[in-house]
Structure formats: structure tokens, C-alpha cells
Amino acid sequence: MIVNEHVSKYIESLDADMPAGLMSLEKWALENEVPIIRHDTQQYLRFLLTKEKPKAILEIGTAVGFSTLYMLEYAPSDCRITTLEKVEMRLVHARQNLKGHERIKLIEGDAGESLKTLLKTGEKFDLIFLDAAKGQYPAWLPDILKLLADGGLLLTDNVLLEGSIAESKFSIERRDRTIHMRMREYLHALKHNDLLETVILPIGDGLAVSYLK
Ligand SMILES: C[S@@+](CC[C@H](N)C(=O)[O-])C[C@H]1O[C@@H](n2cnc3c(N)ncnc32)[C@H](O)[C@@H]1O
């Protein structure tokens, strides 16, 4: 946690409850160690969805569908969500949890390839939520930006790597160095792209919010 835990708990105590279905899915995900968006990220997302009223959302990293259903709840009633996931042990639950929601399209397979397929359709998204394999972010960024509508928002979760993003690469465990290096590369690319205005917020595990000008 980046923000003082005591303060975070207080802020959380002010939040209104989510619908029961989302609460039980969140509980199940946490009990089964599925990484899902944290409470402060949920609140910020809810705020943005209400304010921006996106009509088309692309989510990269469905897991079991918690954030997908969360966005469906707070986005406008005519918003469509396309969500990408490749891992079978997650897909088994995602298929089940997202079944019957006609405004949600689950695309199975590697997100890098799914992004290429989506590019061919010419579809654009008002909001893209990137929450998948962190090491792939720099490689996926060019395609993601092509899929983002003018004036759209790209939200990237977990960009602060539990705070280790600020540490020197020499103090990072060898096995984590590639992700550390790629996330720094990614954040640099976001902050130095003239087409984007990006703010990095210390909520959840760090959320980069980029606006395509
Ligand atoms: C942090 S979880 C997503 C959590 C979800 N957004 C939520 O908050 O409910 C990241 C997901 O990305 C998926 N993922 C990782 N690499 C991927 C890839 N190359 N293509 C598609 N999905 C991928 C993982 O299997 C995992 O389920």
C-alpha cells in the first residue's frame, strides 16, 4: 500500500456499498487469490465512468470478470465492453461470470494478438483499461493508442510496482528486473508522448491516467 493504511481505511469507510453480486464476486476473488482492482481504484474508476460516460470500453486483463462487471455497473446503460484474457484457469470463471451479459464481449487468447485483430475491425474505444502482463505494456502501447478514440482515456493499473518502481534497478531482485525496467520504459513513453497528457496517481498499486489529446 502506497498511501497510509489508516487514512485509506477511513476513506474506504465513506464509500457506498456495491451491489451484492459484485461484493460476493470480490470476496470470492480475494479468497481465491485472484488479483483484482483494489477499493480505491474501484472508487476512482466509478467516478470516471460516471463523469466520462464512455460508450465503448476495452479491458486488457479480465481475470474472472470482476472489474468487467464493475465497469458494466457504473458505465452508461448503452456502453459495450470488450475484455481480453488468455489464461484458462481464469477463463473458466470469466466465461461463467460474464455469461448472459450481452454488452460484454470476452475475447480469449493472447492480448497482443487480440489487439491486432481488433485493429482490423476499425473499432475505437473511449476508455481502455490496461491490467494484464506488466512486462508487455511497452510492446502493446502503439496498438493500444491506435485503438483509443480521440479524447479517450487510457488507464494503466499497477504502475508503481508496490513502490519498487522508484528504487534503483540494482536494489531490485534479479527476477523482477525486467518488469521494473519495462514499467519504467512504459511510464517514460506515456509521459513523453506529445499526443498524451498523463498523470500517475498513487492509488491502488499506482494508476496512470492518460488522455489522448
Ligand atoms: C491483475 S489481473 C486482471 C484483474 C481484473 N482486471 C480485475 O480487476 O478484476 C491480470 C490478468 O491479465 C491476464 N493476462 C496476463 N497476460 C495476458 C496476456 N498476454 N493476454 C491476455 N491476458 C493476459 C492474466 O491471466 C490475469 O488474469
Side-chain angles (χ1 to χ4, degrees), residues 34-37 59-68 84-87 90 109-112 129 131-133 136 140 158:
V34 179
I36 58 168
I37 45 167
E59 175 179 61
I60 307 169
T62 318
V64 297
F66 173 76
S67 53
T68 325
L84 316 182
E85 176 60 55
K86 78 162 182 184
V87 174
R90 301 283 188 240
D110 180 69
F129 180 46
D131 188 20
Q136 298 301 317
W140 290 346
N158 305 114

Side-chain angles (χ1 to χ4, degrees), residues 2 22 25 40 45 58 69 108 139 154 163 172 177 191 211:
I2 297 158
L22 280 173
L25 181 54
D40 47 358
L45 202 47
L58 173 64
L69 291 169
E108 302 184 8
L154 166 62
I172 302 293
R177 278 192 196 159
K191 291 292 269 185
Y211 166 69

